Amino acid sequence: MTDTVTAPALDATKPAMTPARPFFSSGPCAKPPGWDASKLATQSLGRSHRSKIGKTRLAYCIDLMRELLGLPDTHRIGIVPGSDTGAFEMAMWTMLGARPVTTLAWESFGEGWVTDAVKQLKIDPTVIRADYGQLPDLTQIDWATDVLFTWNGTTSGVRVPNADFIPADREGLSFADATSGVFAYDIDWAKIDVATFSWQKVLGGEGGHGVLILGPRAVERLESYTPAWPLPKVFRLVSKGKLTEGVFKGETINTPSMLAVEDAIASLEWAKSLGERGLIARSDANAAALDRIVEERDWLGHLAADPASRSKTSVCLTVEGADEAFIKTMAGLLEKEGAAYDVAGYRDAPAGLRIWCGATVDTADIEALGPWLDWAYATAKAA
């Protein structure tokens, strides 16, 4: 006998309970539970980032990231300008052009890297595309080329299931834009030559700074290849043919916000108290709670049809009969009531909702969101 699930009746009566922390934005994301600005260390503020305390705090931030990710000593970690976008473009500008390039695009940021490769760097990449909600055929990839992909498509809610599609004996480099994936999924770092992310996603940190992770094959490329195009100062990672090692020890290329660094340290210390497995477990529980909400409602669905490639952080939902104006109305109603902030889908994506389920969100708040979605949907339809 199969259990049946009865969909909740649409009800324009406001629910009695709102999420305690209605922060469901996909970037910048919810701060960690218990976060308080007054708890941030401030001794480095107003000091040079090149002072002893400045370099010490930057190096400590890097050490925390390495420890939490279990990153091997073979991989370097650098704090760079421009958030994840700056980090990924730094990698593209400094390393592409040595061999043919393949780019994967199934959402707006992947398409952005295609645009950079074609229009800015003037290279002719092989482009493997899929529509929003779908994952491209990863078996089409020629690993004799350098390969660019998003680990977790923040604007489509589609991710790669794992790193199994990356061969250990690849000739080209693997470039992973992993900004909504790092700290939320197991990543096989032996398969990753370049990875980028920003603190503003799974850690709930502030924007403006990116993190660049380089494996040994990426370092070899940097030291053996000089691009044909000019490099802006903030992209330069090599001096006299050798990697500028200081960048990966806290000696940043440009002046960082030490307040943002201290905020990242606070988030990383919170994350360390849980461990990487604990962070992943929180994201998994949040995504499962949202899955239950979707399964109980015939007017809600997942943009990513295949659970194996469905994001567990930036979860994108379809809403029956909704266009952009309808979604804007729903999101506006939820924000006005303090029930959910910033849940409208990305501007380039199909009209729908996007709910952040990363580790800094509490599962109880996801569960409390369901009745409010019912209310907003019924109210928007009645209007």
Side-chain angles (χ1 to χ4, degrees):
M1 183 174 179
T2 303
D3 291 335
T4 58
V5 177
T6 302
L10 290 179
D11 189 353
T13 303
K14 291 179 186 177
M17 183 176 68
T18 57
R21 294 192 303 137
F23 302 101
F24 301 111
S25 163
S26 288
C29 301
K31 308 301 285 184
W35 182 88
D36 187 331
S38 68
K39 296 179 182 178
L40 298 182
T42 57
Q43 293 87 344
S44 66
L45 305 190
R47 298 292 308 274
S48 168
H49 62 296
R50 303 196 188 282
S51 66
K52 182 177 180 181
I53 188 172
K55 289 193 289 188
T56 297
R57 296 300 281 175
L58 285 160
Y60 177 52
C61 185
I62 289 172
D63 289 344
L64 282 172
M65 289 188 284
R66 179 179 299 280
E67 180 181 357
L68 190 58
L69 292 173
L71 206 66
D73 292 340
T74 54
H75 286 59
R76 293 163 171 85
I77 308 175
I79 298 169
V80 300
S83 196
D84 176 66
T85 300
F88 203 79
E89 290 187 330
M90 177 183 287
M92 292 180 67
W93 259 250
T94 55
M95 283 177 265
L96 293 187
R99 58 171 58 238
V101 175
T102 298
T103 57
L104 278 63
W106 61 87
E107 48 96 51
S108 60
F109 286 99
E111 283 292 345
W113 311 141
V114 174
T115 298
D116 278 358
V118 174
K119 294 187 176 181
Q120 305 302 322
L121 297 180
K122 308 296 184 183
I123 59 180
D124 185 22
T126 297
V127 182
I128 303 175
R129 287 188 170 93
D131 293 334
Y132 273 84
Q134 303 295 320
L135 188 68
D137 182 357
L138 302 180
T139 65
Q140 294 182 31
I141 300 171
D142 178 2
W143 284 99
T145 67
D146 291 334
V147 179
L148 282 60
F149 69 98
T150 50
W151 188 282
N152 185 107
T154 308
T155 67
S156 70
V158 175
R159 63 181 174 93
V160 295
N162 47 52
D164 291 352
F165 72 101
I166 305 173
D169 60 350
R170 62 194 175 280
E171 297 176 43
L173 300 181
S174 59
F175 291 72
D177 170 359
T179 197
S180 293
V182 171
F183 303 114
Y185 304 104
D186 285 315
I187 294 178
D188 182 354
W189 291 105
K191 299 288 188 72
I192 303 299
D193 298 307
V194 179
T196 63
F197 68 93
S198 63
W199 297 324
Q200 62 160 312
K201 297 293 187 182
V202 179
L203 290 174
E206 294 301 298
H209 297 74
V211 177
L212 176 66
I213 298 176
L214 301 179
R217 299 177 73 247
V219 173
E220 181 184 8
R221 172 71 62 83
L222 284 166
E223 294 183 337
S224 63
Y225 166 69
T226 302
W229 42 78
L231 292 177
K233 180 180 179 181
V234 293
F235 282 6
R236 297 172 197 163
L237 295 170
V238 173
S239 177
K240 298 179 181 179
K242 292 294 181 182
L243 188 72
T244 306
E245 294 285 0
V247 172
F248 305 94
K249 298 176 182 177
E251 298 171 15
T252 56
I253 294 174
N254 70 325
T255 305
S257 163
M258 293 308 296
L259 183 58
V261 171
E262 292 296 350
D263 182 71
I265 288 173
S267 294
L268 285 160
E269 288 178 336
W270 167 79
K272 183 180 176 181
S273 71
L274 299 173
E276 186 181 24
R277 297 307 314 170
L279 294 177
I280 293 172
R282 283 179 64 91
S283 289
D284 288 351
N286 290 338
L290 187 57
D291 279 346
R292 290 191 292 272
I293 290 172
V294 173
E295 289 169 1
E296 292 169 356
R297 289 154 177 83
D298 56 10
W299 57 270
L300 265 182
H302 282 286
L303 182 59
D306 183 0
S309 57
R310 183 181 299 156
S311 173
K312 291 185 285 187
T313 54
S314 55
V315 183
C316 297
L317 305 178
T318 59
V319 176
E320 185 179 65
D323 58 12
E324 186 176 346
F326 188 91
I327 294 298
K328 185 176 180 180
T329 297
M330 279 189 70
L333 288 166
L334 292 165
E335 179 170 346
K336 184 178 180 181
E337 295 297 327
Y341 299 141
D342 311 315
V343 295
Y346 192 72
R347 60 181 180 270
D348 294 336
L353 301 172
R354 182 171 59 158
I355 312 296
W356 184 256
C357 290
T360 56
V361 173
D362 291 318
T363 302
D365 288 333
I366 296 286
E367 293 169 340
L369 180 61
W372 281 100
L373 294 178
D374 294 330
W375 170 81
Y377 181 70
T379 304
K381 280 184 72 71

Coordinates of all heavy atoms in Angstrom, one line a residue, residues 202-285:
V202 N 28.5 29.9 1.0 CA 28.2 28.9 2.0 C 28.7 29.4 3.4 O 28.1 29.0 4.4 CB 28.9 27.5 1.7 CG1 28.6 26.5 2.8 CG2 28.3 27.0 0.3
L203 N 29.7 30.2 3.4 CA 30.1 30.7 4.7 C 29.3 31.9 5.3 O 29.4 32.2 6.4 CB 31.6 31.1 4.7 CG 32.6 30.0 4.5 CD1 34.0 30.6 4.3 CD2 32.6 29.1 5.7
G204 N 28.5 32.5 4.4 CA 27.7 33.6 4.8 C 28.6 34.8 5.1 O 28.2 35.7 5.9
G205 N 29.8 34.9 4.5 CA 30.6 36.1 4.7 C 30.2 37.3 3.8 O 29.2 37.3 3.1
E206 N 31.1 38.3 3.8 CA 30.8 39.5 3.0 C 31.4 39.4 1.6 O 32.3 38.6 1.4 CB 31.4 40.7 3.8 CG 30.7 41.0 5.1 CD 29.2 41.3 4.9 OE1 28.9 42.2 4.2 OE2 28.4 40.5 5.4
G207 N 30.9 40.2 0.7 CA 31.3 40.1 -0.7 C 32.5 41.0 -0.9 O 33.1 41.6 0.0
G208 N 33.0 40.9 -2.2 CA 34.1 41.8 -2.6 C 35.5 41.1 -2.7 O 36.4 41.6 -3.3
H209 N 35.6 39.9 -2.0 CA 36.8 39.2 -2.0 C 36.6 37.8 -2.6 O 35.6 37.1 -2.3 CB 37.5 39.1 -0.6 CG 37.8 40.4 0.0 ND1 36.9 41.3 0.4 CD2 39.0 41.0 0.1 CE1 37.5 42.4 0.9 NE2 38.8 42.2 0.7
G210 N 37.5 37.3 -3.4 CA 37.5 35.9 -3.9 C 38.6 35.1 -3.3 O 39.5 35.6 -2.8
V211 N 38.4 33.8 -3.5 CA 39.5 32.8 -3.1 C 39.9 32.0 -4.3 O 39.0 31.5 -5.0 CB 39.0 31.9 -2.0 CG1 40.1 30.9 -1.6 CG2 38.6 32.8 -0.7
L212 N 41.2 32.0 -4.6 CA 41.7 31.2 -5.7 C 42.5 30.1 -5.2 O 43.5 30.2 -4.4 CB 42.6 32.2 -6.5 CG 43.4 31.5 -7.7 CD1 42.4 31.1 -8.8 CD2 44.4 32.5 -8.3
I213 N 42.2 28.8 -5.6 CA 42.9 27.6 -5.2 C 43.6 27.1 -6.4 O 43.0 26.9 -7.4 CB 42.0 26.6 -4.6 CG1 41.3 27.1 -3.3 CG2 42.7 25.3 -4.3 CD1 40.2 26.2 -2.7
L214 N 44.9 26.9 -6.3 CA 45.7 26.4 -7.4 C 46.4 25.0 -7.0 O 47.0 24.9 -6.0 CB 46.8 27.3 -7.7 CG 46.5 28.8 -8.1 CD1 47.7 29.6 -8.4 CD2 45.6 28.7 -9.4
G215 N 46.1 24.0 -7.9 CA 46.8 22.8 -7.7 C 48.2 22.8 -8.4 O 48.5 23.8 -9.1
P216 N 49.0 21.8 -8.3 CA 50.4 21.9 -8.8 C 50.5 22.0 -10.3 O 51.4 22.6 -10.8 CB 51.0 20.5 -8.3 CG 49.9 19.7 -7.9 CD 48.8 20.6 -7.5
R217 N 49.5 21.4 -11.0 CA 49.5 21.5 -12.5 C 49.2 23.0 -12.9 O 49.7 23.4 -13.9 CB 48.5 20.6 -13.1 CG 48.8 19.1 -12.8 CD 47.8 18.1 -13.3 NE 48.0 18.0 -14.7 CZ 47.0 18.4 -15.6 NH1 45.9 18.9 -15.2 NH2 47.2 18.2 -16.9
A218 N 48.4 23.7 -12.1 CA 48.1 25.1 -12.4 C 49.3 25.9 -12.2 O 49.6 26.9 -13.0 CB 46.9 25.6 -11.6
V219 N 50.1 25.7 -11.1 CA 51.3 26.4 -10.8 C 52.3 26.2 -12.0 O 53.0 27.1 -12.4 CB 51.9 26.0 -9.5 CG1 53.2 26.6 -9.3 CG2 50.9 26.4 -8.4
E220 N 52.4 24.9 -12.4 CA 53.3 24.6 -13.5 C 52.9 25.4 -14.8 O 53.8 26.0 -15.5 CB 53.3 23.1 -13.8 CG 54.2 22.7 -14.9 CD 54.1 21.2 -15.3 OE1 53.1 20.6 -14.7 OE2 54.9 20.7 -16.1
R221 N 51.6 25.5 -15.0 CA 51.2 26.3 -16.2 C 51.6 27.8 -16.0 O 52.1 28.4 -17.0 CB 49.7 26.2 -16.3 CG 49.0 27.1 -17.4 CD 49.3 26.7 -18.8 NE 48.8 25.4 -19.1 CZ 47.5 25.2 -19.5 NH1 46.7 26.1 -19.6 NH2 47.2 23.9 -19.7
L222 N 51.4 28.3 -14.9 CA 51.7 29.7 -14.6 C 53.2 30.0 -14.8 O 53.6 31.1 -15.4 CB 51.3 30.1 -13.2 CG 49.8 30.4 -13.0 CD1 49.5 30.4 -11.5 CD2 49.3 31.7 -13.7
E223 N 54.0 29.1 -14.4 CA 55.5 29.3 -14.5 C 56.1 29.0 -15.8 O 57.2 29.3 -16.1 CB 56.2 28.5 -13.4 CG 55.8 29.0 -12.0 CD 56.5 28.3 -10.9 OE1 57.0 27.2 -11.1 OE2 56.7 28.9 -9.8
S224 N 55.3 28.3 -16.7 CA 55.9 27.9 -18.0 C 55.2 28.6 -19.2 O 55.7 28.4 -20.3 CB 55.7 26.4 -18.1 OG 54.3 26.0 -18.2
Y225 N 54.2 29.4 -18.9 CA 53.4 29.9 -20.0 C 53.1 31.4 -19.8 O 52.8 31.8 -18.7 CB 52.1 29.2 -20.2 CG 51.1 29.9 -21.1 CD1 51.2 30.0 -22.4 CD2 49.9 30.4 -20.5 CE1 50.3 30.6 -23.2 CE2 49.0 31.1 -21.3 CZ 49.2 31.2 -22.7 OH 48.2 31.8 -23.4
T226 N 53.3 32.2 -20.8 CA 53.0 33.6 -20.8 C 51.9 33.9 -21.8 O 52.1 33.7 -23.0 CB 54.3 34.5 -21.1 OG1 55.3 34.2 -20.2 CG2 54.0 36.0 -21.0
P227 N 50.8 34.5 -21.3 CA 49.7 34.7 -22.2 C 50.1 35.8 -23.2 O 50.9 36.7 -23.0 CB 48.6 35.2 -21.3 CG 49.0 34.8 -19.9 CD 50.5 34.7 -19.9
A228 N 49.3 35.8 -24.4 CA 49.6 36.8 -25.4 C 49.0 38.1 -25.1 O 49.4 39.1 -25.7 CB 49.0 36.2 -26.7
W229 N 48.1 38.2 -24.2 CA 47.4 39.4 -23.9 C 48.0 40.1 -22.7 O 48.6 39.5 -21.8 CB 45.9 39.2 -23.7 CG 45.6 38.0 -22.9 CD1 45.7 37.8 -21.5 CD2 45.2 36.7 -23.4 NE1 45.4 36.5 -21.2 CE2 45.1 35.8 -22.3 CE3 45.0 36.2 -24.7 CZ2 44.8 34.5 -22.4 CZ3 44.7 34.8 -24.8 CH2 44.5 34.0 -23.7
P230 N 47.8 41.4 -22.6 CA 48.3 42.1 -21.4 C 47.5 41.7 -20.1 O 46.3 41.4 -20.2 CB 48.1 43.6 -21.7 CG 47.0 43.6 -22.7 CD 47.1 42.4 -23.5
L231 N 48.1 41.7 -19.0 CA 47.5 41.4 -17.7 C 47.4 42.6 -16.8 O 48.4 43.2 -16.5 CB 48.3 40.3 -17.0 CG 48.4 38.9 -17.6 CD1 49.3 38.0 -16.8 CD2 47.0 38.3 -17.7
P232 N 46.2 42.9 -16.3 CA 46.1 44.0 -15.3 C 46.9 43.6 -14.1 O 47.2 42.4 -13.8 CB 44.6 44.0 -15.0 CG 43.9 43.3 -16.1 CD 44.9 42.3 -16.6
K233 N 47.3 44.6 -13.3 CA 48.2 44.4 -12.1 C 47.5 43.4 -11.2 O 48.2 42.5 -10.6 CB 48.4 45.7 -11.4 CG 49.3 45.6 -10.2 CD 49.5 46.9 -9.5 CE 50.4 46.8 -8.3 NZ 50.6 48.1 -7.6
V234 N 46.2 43.5 -11.0 CA 45.5 42.7 -10.0 C 45.4 41.2 -10.4 O 45.0 40.4 -9.6 CB 44.1 43.2 -9.6 CG1 44.2 44.5 -8.9 CG2 43.2 43.3 -10.8
F235 N 45.8 40.9 -11.7 CA 45.8 39.5 -12.1 C 47.2 38.9 -12.1 O 47.3 37.7 -12.4 CB 45.3 39.5 -13.6 CG 43.8 39.6 -13.7 CD1 43.0 39.9 -12.6 CD2 43.2 39.4 -15.0 CE1 41.6 40.0 -12.8 CE2 41.8 39.6 -15.1 CZ 41.0 39.8 -14.0
R236 N 48.2 39.6 -11.8 CA 49.6 39.1 -12.0 C 50.0 38.2 -10.8 O 50.1 38.7 -9.7 CB 50.5 40.2 -12.2 CG 50.3 41.1 -13.4 CD 51.1 42.3 -13.5 NE 50.6 43.2 -14.5 CZ 50.9 44.5 -14.5 NH1 51.8 45.0 -13.7 NH2 50.4 45.3 -15.5
L237 N 50.2 36.9 -11.1 CA 50.5 35.9 -10.1 C 52.0 35.4 -10.2 O 52.4 34.6 -9.4 CB 49.6 34.7 -10.2 CG 48.1 35.0 -9.9 CD1 47.3 33.8 -10.3 CD2 47.9 35.3 -8.4
V238 N 52.7 35.9 -11.2 CA 54.0 35.4 -11.5 C 55.0 36.6 -11.6 O 54.6 37.7 -12.1 CB 54.1 34.6 -12.8 CG1 55.5 34.3 -13.2 CG2 53.2 33.4 -12.7
S239 N 56.2 36.5 -11.0 CA 57.2 37.5 -11.2 C 58.5 36.8 -11.5 O 58.9 35.8 -10.9 CB 57.4 38.2 -9.8 OG 58.5 39.1 -9.9
K240 N 59.1 37.2 -12.7 CA 60.4 36.7 -13.2 C 60.3 35.1 -13.4 O 61.2 34.4 -13.0 CB 61.5 37.0 -12.2 CG 61.8 38.5 -12.1 CD 62.9 38.8 -11.1 CE 63.1 40.3 -11.0 NZ 64.2 40.6 -10.0
G241 N 59.1 34.7 -13.9 CA 58.9 33.3 -14.2 C 58.6 32.4 -13.1 O 58.4 31.2 -13.3
K242 N 58.4 33.0 -11.9 CA 58.1 32.2 -10.7 C 56.8 32.7 -10.0 O 56.5 33.9 -10.0 CB 59.2 32.2 -9.7 CG 60.5 31.5 -10.1 CD 60.2 30.0 -10.3 CE 61.5 29.2 -10.7 NZ 61.2 27.8 -10.9
L243 N 56.0 31.7 -9.5 CA 54.8 32.1 -8.8 C 55.1 33.0 -7.6 O 56.1 32.8 -6.9 CB 54.2 30.8 -8.2 CG 52.8 31.0 -7.6 CD1 51.7 31.3 -8.7 CD2 52.4 29.8 -6.8
T244 N 54.3 34.1 -7.5 CA 54.5 35.0 -6.4 C 53.9 34.3 -5.1 O 52.7 34.5 -4.9 CB 53.8 36.3 -6.7 OG1 54.3 36.8 -8.0 CG2 54.1 37.4 -5.6
E245 N 54.7 33.6 -4.4 CA 54.3 32.8 -3.3 C 53.6 33.6 -2.2 O 52.7 33.1 -1.5 CB 55.4 32.0 -2.7 CG 56.0 31.0 -3.7 CD 55.1 29.7 -3.8 OE1 54.0 29.7 -3.2 OE2 55.5 28.8 -4.6
G246 N 54.0 34.9 -2.1 CA 53.4 35.7 -1.0 C 51.9 35.9 -1.1 O 51.2 36.0 0.0
V247 N 51.4 35.8 -2.3 CA 50.0 36.0 -2.5 C 49.2 34.8 -1.8 O 48.1 35.0 -1.3 CB 49.6 35.9 -4.0 CG1 48.1 35.9 -4.2 CG2 50.2 37.2 -4.7
F248 N 49.9 33.7 -1.6 CA 49.2 32.5 -1.0 C 49.6 32.3 0.4 O 49.4 31.3 1.0 CB 49.6 31.3 -1.9 CG 49.2 31.5 -3.3 CD1 50.1 32.0 -4.3 CD2 47.9 31.2 -3.7 CE1 49.7 32.2 -5.6 CE2 47.5 31.4 -5.0 CZ 48.4 31.9 -6.0
K249 N 50.2 33.4 1.0 CA 50.6 33.4 2.4 C 50.0 34.6 3.1 O 50.4 35.0 4.2 CB 52.1 33.4 2.6 CG 52.8 32.2 2.0 CD 54.3 32.2 2.1 CE 54.9 31.0 1.5 NZ 56.4 31.1 1.5
G250 N 49.0 35.3 2.4 CA 48.4 36.4 3.0 C 48.9 37.8 2.5 O 48.4 38.8 3.0
E251 N 49.8 37.8 1.6 CA 50.3 39.1 1.1 C 49.5 39.4 -0.2 O 50.0 39.1 -1.3 CB 51.8 39.0 0.8 CG 52.7 38.7 2.0 CD 54.1 38.4 1.7 OE1 54.6 38.6 0.6 OE2 54.8 37.9 2.6
T252 N 48.4 39.9 0.0 CA 47.4 40.1 -1.1 C 48.0 41.1 -2.1 O 48.8 42.0 -1.8 CB 46.1 40.7 -0.6 OG1 46.3 41.8 0.2 CG2 45.4 39.6 0.3
I253 N 47.5 41.0 -3.4 CA 47.9 41.8 -4.5 C 47.5 43.3 -4.2 O 48.2 44.2 -4.5 CB 47.4 41.3 -5.8 CG1 48.0 39.9 -6.1 CG2 47.7 42.3 -7.0 CD1 47.4 39.2 -7.4
N254 N 46.2 43.4 -3.8 CA 45.7 44.8 -3.5 C 45.2 44.8 -2.1 O 45.3 43.8 -1.4 CB 44.6 45.1 -4.5 CG 43.3 44.3 -4.2 OD1 43.4 43.2 -3.8 ND2 42.2 45.0 -4.4
T255 N 44.8 46.0 -1.7 CA 44.4 46.1 -0.3 C 43.1 45.5 0.0 O 42.1 45.8 -0.6 CB 44.3 47.6 0.1 OG1 45.5 48.3 -0.2 CG2 44.0 47.8 1.6
P256 N 43.0 44.5 0.9 CA 41.7 43.9 1.2 C 41.0 44.6 2.3 O 41.6 45.5 3.0 CB 42.2 42.5 1.8 CG 43.5 42.8 2.5 CD 44.2 43.9 1.6
S257 N 39.7 44.4 2.5 CA 39.0 44.9 3.6 C 39.3 44.0 4.8 O 38.9 42.8 4.8 CB 37.5 44.9 3.3 OG 36.8 45.0 4.6
M258 N 40.0 44.5 5.8 CA 40.3 43.7 7.0 C 39.0 43.4 7.8 O 39.0 42.4 8.5 CB 41.3 44.4 7.9 CG 42.7 44.5 7.2 SD 43.4 42.9 6.6 CE 43.5 41.9 8.1
L259 N 38.0 44.2 7.7 CA 36.7 43.9 8.3 C 36.1 42.7 7.7 O 35.6 41.8 8.4 CB 35.8 45.1 8.2 CG 34.5 45.0 9.0 CD1 34.6 44.7 10.4 CD2 33.6 46.3 8.7
A260 N 36.1 42.6 6.3 CA 35.6 41.5 5.6 C 36.4 40.2 6.0 O 35.9 39.1 6.1 CB 35.6 41.7 4.1
V261 N 37.7 40.4 6.2 CA 38.6 39.3 6.5 C 38.2 38.8 7.9 O 38.1 37.6 8.2 CB 40.1 39.6 6.5 CG1 41.0 38.6 7.1 CG2 40.5 39.9 5.0
E262 N 38.0 39.7 8.9 CA 37.7 39.3 10.2 C 36.3 38.6 10.2 O 36.1 37.7 11.0 CB 37.7 40.5 11.2 CG 39.1 41.1 11.4 CD 40.0 40.2 12.1 OE1 39.6 39.1 12.6 OE2 41.2 40.5 12.2
D263 N 35.4 39.1 9.4 CA 34.1 38.5 9.3 C 34.2 37.0 8.7 O 33.6 36.1 9.2 CB 33.2 39.3 8.4 CG 31.8 38.7 8.3 OD1 31.0 38.8 9.3 OD2 31.4 38.2 7.2
A264 N 35.1 36.9 7.7 CA 35.3 35.5 7.2 C 35.9 34.6 8.2 O 35.6 33.4 8.3 CB 36.3 35.6 6.0
I265 N 36.9 35.1 9.0 CA 37.5 34.3 10.1 C 36.4 33.9 11.1 O 36.4 32.7 11.5 CB 38.6 35.1 10.8 CG1 39.8 35.3 9.9 CG2 39.0 34.5 12.1 CD1 40.9 36.2 10.4
A266 N 35.5 34.8 11.5 CA 34.4 34.4 12.4 C 33.6 33.3 11.8 O 33.2 32.4 12.5 CB 33.6 35.6 12.7
S267 N 33.3 33.4 10.5 CA 32.5 32.4 9.9 C 33.2 31.0 9.8 O 32.6 30.0 10.0 CB 32.1 32.8 8.4 OG 31.2 33.9 8.5
L268 N 34.5 31.1 9.5 CA 35.3 29.9 9.4 C 35.5 29.2 10.8 O 35.5 28.0 10.9 CB 36.7 30.2 8.8 CG 36.7 30.5 7.3 CD1 37.9 31.3 6.9 CD2 36.6 29.2 6.6
E269 N 35.6 30.1 11.9 CA 35.7 29.5 13.2 C 34.4 28.8 13.6 O 34.4 27.7 14.2 CB 36.1 30.6 14.2 CG 37.5 31.0 14.0 CD 37.9 32.1 15.0 OE1 37.0 32.9 15.4 OE2 39.1 32.3 15.3
W270 N 33.3 29.4 13.2 CA 32.0 28.7 13.4 C 31.9 27.4 12.6 O 31.5 26.4 13.1 CB 30.8 29.6 13.0 CG 29.5 28.9 12.8 CD1 28.7 28.6 13.9 CD2 28.9 28.5 11.6 NE1 27.5 27.9 13.4 CE2 27.7 27.8 12.0 CE3 29.3 28.5 10.3 CZ2 26.8 27.3 11.1 CZ3 28.4 27.9 9.4 CH2 27.2 27.3 9.7
A271 N 32.3 27.5 11.4 CA 32.3 26.3 10.5 C 33.3 25.2 11.1 O 32.9 24.0 11.0 CB 32.7 26.7 9.1
K272 N 34.4 25.6 11.6 CA 35.3 24.6 12.2 C 34.7 23.9 13.3 O 35.0 22.7 13.6 CB 36.6 25.4 12.6 CG 37.7 24.4 13.1 CD 38.9 25.2 13.5 CE 40.0 24.3 14.2 NZ 41.2 25.0 14.6
S273 N 33.8 24.6 14.1 CA 33.2 23.9 15.2 C 32.3 22.8 14.8 O 32.0 21.9 15.5 CB 32.4 24.9 16.0 OG 31.2 25.4 15.3
L274 N 31.9 22.8 13.5 CA 31.0 21.8 13.0 C 31.8 20.8 12.1 O 31.4 19.6 12.0 CB 29.9 22.4 12.0 CG 28.9 23.4 12.7 CD1 28.1 24.0 11.6 CD2 28.1 22.7 13.7
G275 N 32.9 21.2 11.5 CA 33.6 20.4 10.6 C 33.0 20.4 9.2 O 31.8 20.8 9.1
E276 N 33.7 20.1 8.2 CA 33.2 20.1 6.9 C 32.0 19.1 6.7 O 31.0 19.5 6.1 CB 34.2 19.7 5.8 CG 33.8 19.8 4.4 CD 34.8 19.4 3.4 OE1 35.7 18.6 3.7 OE2 34.7 19.9 2.2
R277 N 32.1 18.0 7.4 CA 30.9 17.0 7.3 C 29.7 17.7 8.0 O 28.6 17.4 7.5 CB 31.3 15.7 8.1 CG 32.4 14.9 7.5 CD 32.2 14.7 6.0 NE 30.9 14.2 5.6 CZ 30.5 14.1 4.4 NH1 31.3 14.4 3.4 NH2 29.3 13.6 4.1
G278 N 29.9 18.4 9.0 CA 28.7 19.1 9.7 C 28.1 20.1 8.8 O 26.9 20.3 8.8
L279 N 28.9 20.9 8.1 CA 28.4 21.9 7.1 C 27.6 21.2 6.0 O 26.5 21.6 5.7 CB 29.6 22.7 6.5 CG 30.4 23.6 7.4 CD1 31.5 24.2 6.6 CD2 29.5 24.6 8.1
I280 N 28.2 20.1 5.5 CA 27.5 19.4 4.4 C 26.1 18.8 4.9 O 25.1 18.9 4.3 CB 28.4 18.3 3.9 CG1 29.6 18.9 3.1 CG2 27.6 17.3 2.9 CD1 30.6 17.9 2.7
A281 N 26.2 18.3 6.2 CA 24.9 17.7 6.8 C 23.9 18.8 6.9 O 22.7 18.5 6.7 CB 25.3 17.1 8.1
R282 N 24.2 20.0 7.3 CA 23.2 21.1 7.4 C 22.6 21.4 6.1 O 21.4 21.6 6.0 CB 23.9 22.3 8.1 CG 24.1 22.2 9.6 CD 24.8 23.5 10.1 NE 23.9 24.6 10.0 CZ 23.1 25.1 10.9 NH1 22.9 24.4 12.1 NH2 22.3 26.2 10.7
S283 N 23.5 21.5 5.1 CA 22.9 21.8 3.7 C 22.0 20.7 3.2 O 20.9 20.9 2.7 CB 24.1 22.0 2.7 OG 24.8 23.2 2.9
D284 N 22.4 19.5 3.5 CA 21.6 18.3 3.1 C 20.2 18.4 3.8 O 19.2 18.1 3.2 CB 22.3 17.0 3.4 CG 23.5 16.7 2.5 OD1 23.7 17.4 1.5 OD2 24.2 15.8 2.8
A285 N 20.2 18.7 5.1 CA 19.0 18.7 5.8 C 18.1 19.8 5.3 O 16.9 19.6 5.2 CB 19.3 18.9 7.3

